[in-house]
Amino acid sequence: TDVEFDPDDFLSTVDLTSEHKILDLKDRIEASVIIWNRKVHNKDGKSSWGSAVSQEKREQFEERAQTLLLIIKHRFPGIPQSTLDIAKIQENRVRNHTQYNYSLRSDPYYFTCH
């Protein structure tokens, strides 16, 4: 990690010859970002990485993954959404629907109209 990281060099070593391979890479990078973000911002101070990896290194891993993700998204703008993006959209729809239904039931006029 002390060596300079060139995301373009890294991506030149990865097989990006098909949409499936690009989506797979995006999924893996996004999962890495989530994992590193959780480890960096772990609330109880415990980490499954133990003391082997410093907070600074963890932040560096997350930053590199984010950079790779942005480059892939810019380099391949027509690639469909990743599995994680789709899951987040579906989760937000369910959450918004649930909040809307809850707000209706908590409204005193809801019961008088139904």
Side-chain angles (χ1 to χ4, degrees):
T1 57
D2 292 331
V3 179
E4 283 296 315
F5 175 71
D6 185 346
D8 290 316
D9 282 348
F10 173 80
L11 290 174
S12 70
T13 65
V14 179
D15 184 5
L16 300 174
T17 57
S18 72
E19 184 176 287
H20 173 76
K21 291 177 181 180
I22 297 166
L23 275 172
D24 184 54
L25 181 62
K26 277 177 64 176
D27 284 343
R28 289 171 187 253
I29 292 172
E30 286 181 343
S32 297
V33 168
I34 289 172
I35 290 166
W36 287 324
N37 190 27
R38 285 182 183 163
K39 289 178 186 258
V40 166
H41 301 101
N42 194 348
K43 291 184 173 64
D44 62 5
K46 297 177 184 174
S47 172
S48 60
W49 283 354
S51 60
V53 179
S54 70
Q55 182 79 8
E56 186 178 310
K57 296 289 185 197
R58 294 176 200 172
E59 291 170 355
Q60 189 177 36
F61 291 146
E62 181 187 1
E63 185 178 303
R64 287 177 179 181
Q66 288 281 14
T67 300
L68 284 169
L69 193 57
L70 286 172
I71 290 172
I72 291 169
K73 287 179 179 181
H74 287 294
R75 196 178 285 181
F76 304 100
I79 292 294
Q81 292 176 322
S82 67
T83 305
L84 182 62
D85 287 336
I86 293 168
K88 284 194 271 186
I89 290 167
Q90 290 172 341
E91 181 181 332
N92 285 336
R93 283 184 186 157
V94 168
R95 184 178 296 141
N96 290 339
H97 182 72
T98 302
Q99 288 173 345
Y100 175 74
N101 285 338
Y102 178 77
S103 67
L104 279 179
R105 287 190 208 111
S106 62
D107 184 354
Y109 295 109
Y110 175 80
F111 294 106
T112 59
C113 296
H114 288 85

Short mmCIF file of all heavy atoms in Angstrom, two decimals, residues 81 83-97:
data_model
loop_
_atom_site.label_atom_id
_atom_site.label_comp_id
_atom_site.label_asym_id
_atom_site.label_seq_id
_atom_site.Cartn_x
_atom_site.Cartn_y
_atom_site.Cartn_z
N GLN A 81 -26.82 -1.00 -14.26
CA GLN A 81 -26.55 -0.81 -12.84
C GLN A 81 -26.04 -2.10 -12.23
O GLN A 81 -26.40 -3.19 -12.64
CB GLN A 81 -27.83 -0.38 -12.12
CG GLN A 81 -28.30 1.00 -12.51
CD GLN A 81 -29.61 1.34 -11.86
OE1 GLN A 81 -30.49 0.50 -11.74
NE2 GLN A 81 -29.75 2.59 -11.47
N THR A 83 -25.50 -4.92 -9.19
CA THR A 83 -26.42 -5.62 -8.31
C THR A 83 -26.68 -4.80 -7.05
O THR A 83 -27.81 -4.71 -6.58
CB THR A 83 -25.84 -7.00 -7.93
OG1 THR A 83 -25.53 -7.71 -9.13
CG2 THR A 83 -26.79 -7.79 -7.08
N LEU A 84 -25.64 -4.17 -6.54
CA LEU A 84 -25.79 -3.35 -5.34
C LEU A 84 -26.67 -2.14 -5.59
O LEU A 84 -27.54 -1.82 -4.79
CB LEU A 84 -24.42 -2.91 -4.83
CG LEU A 84 -24.42 -2.09 -3.55
CD1 LEU A 84 -25.01 -2.89 -2.39
CD2 LEU A 84 -23.03 -1.62 -3.21
N ASP A 85 -26.48 -1.47 -6.74
CA ASP A 85 -27.33 -0.32 -7.07
C ASP A 85 -28.79 -0.74 -7.15
O ASP A 85 -29.67 -0.05 -6.63
CB ASP A 85 -26.92 0.29 -8.42
CG ASP A 85 -25.62 1.06 -8.37
OD1 ASP A 85 -25.26 1.52 -7.26
OD2 ASP A 85 -24.98 1.21 -9.42
N ILE A 86 -29.06 -1.86 -7.79
CA ILE A 86 -30.43 -2.35 -7.92
C ILE A 86 -31.01 -2.68 -6.55
O ILE A 86 -32.15 -2.33 -6.25
CB ILE A 86 -30.48 -3.58 -8.86
CG1 ILE A 86 -30.12 -3.14 -10.29
CG2 ILE A 86 -31.84 -4.26 -8.82
CD1 ILE A 86 -29.85 -4.28 -11.24
N ALA A 87 -30.23 -3.33 -5.71
CA ALA A 87 -30.69 -3.68 -4.36
C ALA A 87 -31.00 -2.43 -3.54
O ALA A 87 -32.00 -2.39 -2.81
CB ALA A 87 -29.66 -4.54 -3.65
N LYS A 88 -30.15 -1.40 -3.67
CA LYS A 88 -30.39 -0.15 -2.92
C LYS A 88 -31.68 0.51 -3.39
O LYS A 88 -32.46 1.01 -2.58
CB LYS A 88 -29.21 0.81 -3.09
CG LYS A 88 -28.01 0.44 -2.27
CD LYS A 88 -27.02 1.57 -2.20
CE LYS A 88 -26.03 1.52 -3.33
NZ LYS A 88 -24.96 2.51 -3.25
N ILE A 89 -31.92 0.51 -4.70
CA ILE A 89 -33.15 1.12 -5.24
C ILE A 89 -34.37 0.37 -4.73
O ILE A 89 -35.35 0.98 -4.28
CB ILE A 89 -33.11 1.12 -6.79
CG1 ILE A 89 -32.06 2.12 -7.27
CG2 ILE A 89 -34.48 1.45 -7.37
CD1 ILE A 89 -31.72 2.00 -8.75
N GLN A 90 -34.33 -0.96 -4.77
CA GLN A 90 -35.46 -1.76 -4.28
C GLN A 90 -35.68 -1.54 -2.79
O GLN A 90 -36.81 -1.41 -2.33
CB GLN A 90 -35.22 -3.23 -4.58
CG GLN A 90 -35.32 -3.55 -6.05
CD GLN A 90 -34.91 -4.97 -6.39
OE1 GLN A 90 -34.23 -5.63 -5.60
NE2 GLN A 90 -35.30 -5.42 -7.56
N GLU A 91 -34.60 -1.47 -2.02
CA GLU A 91 -34.72 -1.25 -0.58
C GLU A 91 -35.34 0.11 -0.30
O GLU A 91 -36.19 0.25 0.57
CB GLU A 91 -33.35 -1.35 0.09
CG GLU A 91 -33.40 -1.14 1.58
CD GLU A 91 -32.03 -1.21 2.22
OE1 GLU A 91 -31.15 -1.90 1.69
OE2 GLU A 91 -31.85 -0.55 3.25
N ASN A 92 -34.92 1.13 -1.04
CA ASN A 92 -35.48 2.46 -0.85
C ASN A 92 -36.96 2.50 -1.21
O ASN A 92 -37.74 3.18 -0.55
CB ASN A 92 -34.71 3.50 -1.65
CG ASN A 92 -33.38 3.83 -1.03
OD1 ASN A 92 -33.18 3.67 0.17
ND2 ASN A 92 -32.44 4.29 -1.84
N ARG A 93 -37.35 1.77 -2.25
CA ARG A 93 -38.77 1.71 -2.62
C ARG A 93 -39.59 1.09 -1.51
O ARG A 93 -40.65 1.59 -1.15
CB ARG A 93 -38.95 0.91 -3.91
CG ARG A 93 -38.57 1.65 -5.14
CD ARG A 93 -38.88 0.82 -6.36
NE ARG A 93 -38.38 1.49 -7.54
CZ ARG A 93 -38.09 0.89 -8.68
NH1 ARG A 93 -38.26 -0.41 -8.79
NH2 ARG A 93 -37.64 1.56 -9.71
N VAL A 94 -39.09 -0.01 -0.95
CA VAL A 94 -39.81 -0.68 0.13
C VAL A 94 -39.87 0.24 1.35
O VAL A 94 -40.91 0.40 1.98
CB VAL A 94 -39.13 -2.02 0.49
CG1 VAL A 94 -39.67 -2.59 1.79
CG2 VAL A 94 -39.30 -3.00 -0.65
N ARG A 95 -38.74 0.87 1.68
CA ARG A 95 -38.68 1.76 2.83
C ARG A 95 -39.64 2.94 2.65
O ARG A 95 -40.39 3.29 3.56
CB ARG A 95 -37.26 2.27 3.04
CG ARG A 95 -37.13 3.13 4.30
CD ARG A 95 -35.71 3.58 4.52
NE ARG A 95 -34.86 2.41 4.77
CZ ARG A 95 -33.63 2.29 4.28
NH1 ARG A 95 -33.10 3.23 3.54
NH2 ARG A 95 -32.92 1.22 4.55
N ASN A 96 -39.64 3.55 1.47
CA ASN A 96 -40.53 4.69 1.21
C ASN A 96 -41.99 4.26 1.27
O ASN A 96 -42.83 4.99 1.79
CB ASN A 96 -40.21 5.33 -0.13
CG ASN A 96 -38.89 6.06 -0.12
OD1 ASN A 96 -38.38 6.43 0.93
ND2 ASN A 96 -38.32 6.26 -1.29
N HIS A 97 -42.30 3.09 0.72
CA HIS A 97 -43.67 2.59 0.75
C HIS A 97 -44.11 2.33 2.19
O HIS A 97 -45.22 2.69 2.59
CB HIS A 97 -43.78 1.31 -0.09
CG HIS A 97 -45.16 0.76 -0.16
ND1 HIS A 97 -46.16 1.36 -0.88
CD2 HIS A 97 -45.72 -0.33 0.43
CE1 HIS A 97 -47.28 0.68 -0.74
NE2 HIS A 97 -47.03 -0.36 0.04
#
